[in-house]
Amino acid sequence: MTYEPTIGLEIHAELKTRTKMFCDSLNDPDEKHPNVNVCPVCLGHPGTLPVINKKAVEEVIKVGLALGGEIAERTKFDRKNYFYPDLPKGYQISQYDMPLVIGGELNGIRLERIHLEEDAGKLIHEGSPSGSSGQSASLIDFNRAGVPLMELVTKPDIRSAEQAVEFAKEFQLILKYLGASDADMEKGQMRADVNVSLNMGTKVEVKNVNSFRSIASAVKYETERQRELLERGEKVKQETRGWDDVKQVTTSQRSKEEAHDYRYFPEPDLPPLASHEAFPIEKMKAELPELPAEKRERFAREFNLNENQAKLLIENKFLADYFETATSELATRDADPSGKLPHKSQVLLFNYLTSDLVGLINESGIEYSELKITPENMAELVDYIADGKITTKQAKDILKVMFETGESPENILGQGNFNLIEDEVLHQAVEDVLKENPSAVTDFASGKTAALQFLVGKVMQKTKGGADPGEIQNKILEKLRG
Ligand code: MN
């Protein structure tokens, strides 16, 4: 018997707002000191009243529109009651039966809903586990308590671990493109719960799946675990399991709670929200930025990039925008006559961006936004290479200086630290070497390829290492064949 997995995802993402969901405490995920960004409201003191963060609602509406969901005319908040030390009020303000966004679709997977709620605080367990002789304590940090959180729920349309990961990656990218969330999974800004059932049978929910790799592993593990149970003639228990990233297994946490366990009821301290009156929905839809899928398609078309190249650029919005600006600044346009291939300078630009520049950025640990090299200067560097004015070795060295100082290639070259090989000089050197070494030329003509390396070496000597071996070889071949 074959077993078809049916997978659904619930993804939580912290919204990028200045303040928290229901108070004006700062929403600062980088705050290192515990319990700094707190106030009586997010600490749940008696008598305090929540106020809806307009910006948070706006961000979720944007996400909903980007995913083709319907923005509810009227929406409300509800209390989800449960007890846990990281939840100071004893309930979470969430949305139960009237979510802000209904339906939608991404990567062919239908969405159930998107709603808005608040995050809980963070528990930090210190020392050795209780029961052993060492000290142990659980500390609590309420900086995260009350941070705006959106929850997206898919329909069980996903059929494989790979598809689940693709979905989560694309959703993360859309959040970043919209600026709704940084959605950094390592920082816990985006977290997934995975629902898995086999052949539409009992559904098991796996909580705390906090990386793309874990999403794939959890789906595979749970599929396999349930298949073994069914093959032994046993039943799959409806329950909530946790993903253990160290052991790479799911473990039973509790039997699945039902909605009524949470005793949901409408939040009495907040009015219902008339979304279409409070927000210019149509205008917001018209003003959505270009989304990753559209950009991928346009880049492939406009710049003749292949699918993988377009994908690589679009994964990083900064790099995609940077490439687009720099491309328009390129002076060298040795286009392929058929118009089907990207021109040589554009390929050079792509390669320098995705390997050398990304390498420098990663090595130095700076943020992309801190990059000192302008797209214009990057294009200038590529022009120098394309024109054969500098060697690839020199280009890499100049790029390093540009990276440190933000200066233009022209300025850096003007300081005289780099020997420029003018095209004519290289040309002359090649002519001279061919004239001075007629026997090597004859050897090459009769098929001795080693003679070519000999000639390249001679030209390198003549140009004192200032020219690129690949470039020299091309020039020699041009001469010998032409
Ligand atoms: Mn939730």
Side-chain angles (χ1 to χ4, degrees):
M1 171 152 189
T2 56
Y3 294 96
E4 257 301 290
T6 303
I7 303 151
L9 288 175
E10 287 171 27
I11 303 180
H12 284 92
E14 287 176 358
L15 298 174
K16 209 162 121 180
T17 54
R18 194 179 64 81
T19 56
K20 292 189 181 180
M21 187 61 227
F22 300 111
C23 63
D24 61 5
S25 291
L26 288 182
N27 168 17
D28 179 4
D30 296 321
E31 178 57 65
K32 294 286 178 290
H33 299 278
N35 300 307
V36 177
N37 295 323
V38 293
C39 77
V41 177
C42 56
L43 289 177
H45 289 191
T48 58
L49 291 172
V51 177
I52 299 170
N53 182 332
K54 191 173 179 186
K55 176 85 173 141
V57 181
E58 192 181 309
E59 295 300 340
V60 174
I61 292 177
K62 281 202 284 188
V63 176
L65 291 171
L67 300 177
E70 182 199 327
I71 311 304
E73 291 258 358
R74 270 172 80 82
T75 180
K76 69 173 168 69
F77 289 93
D78 301 276
R79 287 191 185 179
K80 181 181 184 180
N81 298 279
Y82 65 94
F83 292 98
Y84 206 69
D86 61 9
L87 191 73
K89 293 197 293 287
Y91 59 85
Q92 176 194 34
I93 304 182
S94 180
Q95 297 193 291
Y96 180 47
D97 54 348
M98 290 171 72
L100 182 53
V101 181
I102 306 145
E105 186 261 9
L106 176 61
N107 282 6
I109 290 145
R110 290 169 305 155
L111 309 182
E112 183 75 44
R113 59 188 276 160
I114 307 173
H115 70 254
L116 193 48
E117 56 189 32
E118 55 179 336
D119 210 346
K122 244 183 222 167
L123 285 171
I124 299 130
H125 305 288
E126 295 221 321
S128 45
S130 54
S132 71
S133 54
Q135 293 275 326
S136 86
S138 285
L139 304 173
I140 185 142
D141 177 5
F142 285 116
N143 283 341
R144 202 179 69 177
V147 161
L149 198 61
M150 57 162 288
E151 178 175 341
L152 167 143
V153 182
T154 74
K155 288 199 185 281
D157 283 356
I158 302 168
R159 291 288 173 272
S160 69
E162 293 72 26
Q163 208 186 0
V165 171
E166 279 303 305
F167 178 93
K169 281 190 174 167
E170 190 67 7
F171 178 56
Q172 181 192 52
L173 202 55
I174 289 171
L175 290 177
K176 288 183 180 175
Y177 268 65
L178 290 172
S181 171
D182 287 334
D184 187 335
M185 291 189 88
E186 273 177 38
K187 290 185 183 167
Q189 291 167 337
M190 180 168 134
R191 313 178 309 249
D193 300 331
V194 182
N195 294 312
V196 183
S197 68
L198 291 189
N199 297 356
M200 307 299 277
T202 311
K203 188 174 88 177
V204 171
E205 180 172 6
V206 184
K207 291 255 182 212
N208 299 323
V209 191
N210 295 331
S211 69
F212 294 122
R213 200 174 52 90
S214 303
I215 292 177
S217 312
V219 168
K220 284 179 186 154
Y221 180 87
E222 199 48 36
T223 308
E224 195 53 25
R225 188 187 70 86
Q226 293 182 25
R227 191 181 61 80
E228 279 173 17
L229 281 174
L230 294 174
E231 280 182 348
R232 281 201 303 267
E234 293 173 38
K235 275 191 178 148
V236 175
K237 225 169 51 184
Q238 182 175 344
E239 62 182 347
T240 299
R241 300 178 70 87
W243 173 248
D244 186 327
D245 220 12
V246 179
K247 294 188 187 137
Q248 295 280 301
V249 297
T250 64
T251 52
S252 181
Q253 287 187 331
R254 54 181 184 260
S255 61
K256 172 73 185 164
E257 59 285 295
E258 303 284 339
H260 65 249
D261 293 327
Y262 290 118
R263 295 169 294 119
Y264 278 104
F265 63 87
E267 168 59 60
D269 292 335
L270 289 171
L273 186 69
S275 326
H276 288 243
E277 280 163 44
F279 295 91
I281 307 287
E282 283 310 313
K283 185 165 171 275
M284 287 170 74
K285 191 173 183 176
E287 285 171 1
L288 283 178
E290 185 179 39
L291 295 167
E294 301 166 62
K295 212 185 191 72
R296 229 174 259 132
E297 198 266 323
R298 183 172 65 81
F299 268 43
R301 182 163 34 84
E302 269 181 29
F303 306 126
N304 297 309
L305 296 172
N306 68 37
E307 202 184 309
N308 284 334
Q309 290 171 325
K311 206 174 154 199
L312 191 67
L313 281 179
I314 271 66
E315 261 170 30
N316 181 329
K317 184 170 184 297
F318 180 91
L319 221 50
D321 294 343
Y322 196 95
F323 176 82
E324 188 163 16
T325 314
T327 296
S328 69
E329 296 288 333
L330 284 172
T332 45
R333 294 193 165 269
D334 39 2
D336 161 50
S338 71
K340 286 199 178 109
L341 294 169
H343 55 77
K344 193 175 129 202
S345 309
Q346 199 172 281
V347 176
L348 273 174
L349 175 65
F350 175 86
N351 291 338
Y352 271 85
L353 283 190
T354 53
S355 61
D356 299 89
L357 188 65
V358 168
L360 285 170
I361 289 172
N362 290 343
E363 233 171 72
S364 69
I366 66 160
E367 298 288 331
Y368 278 86
S369 55
E370 295 169 302
L371 181 66
K372 287 182 188 156
I373 306 175
T374 64
E376 292 75 12
N377 285 342
M378 194 68 204
E380 194 184 304
L381 179 73
V382 170
D383 284 335
Y384 274 110
I385 309 165
D387 288 338
K389 287 188 181 143
I390 54 175
T391 66
T392 45
K393 165 84 177 65
Q394 287 171 330
K396 283 176 204 293
D397 292 340
I398 293 169
L399 185 66
K400 270 185 203 142
V401 181
M402 290 167 72
F403 185 77
E404 296 297 332
T405 64
E407 283 184 77
S408 72
E410 197 185 355
N411 270 351
I412 295 165
L413 287 167
Q415 289 155 13
N417 298 325
F418 292 92
N419 275 329
L420 283 199
I421 286 292
E422 293 293 340
D423 213 31
E424 300 87 81
V425 176
L426 180 58
H427 190 83
Q428 195 56 53
V430 170
E431 294 243 299
D432 292 349
V433 165
L434 293 185
K435 253 183 233 148
E436 288 159 17
N437 300 280
S439 58
V441 175
T442 329
D443 282 353
F444 180 69
S446 64
K448 290 183 188 155
T449 46
L452 181 60
Q453 288 321 308
F454 170 79
L455 292 169
V456 169
K458 285 285 171 200
V459 177
M460 285 191 70
Q461 275 175 13
K462 234 185 220 327
T463 54
K464 299 190 175 67
D468 186 62
E471 182 90 27
I472 297 174
Q473 182 164 321
N474 287 341
K475 288 250 186 264
I476 295 176
L477 288 173
E478 252 170 52
K479 287 249 185 274
L480 291 178
R481 286 174 182 158

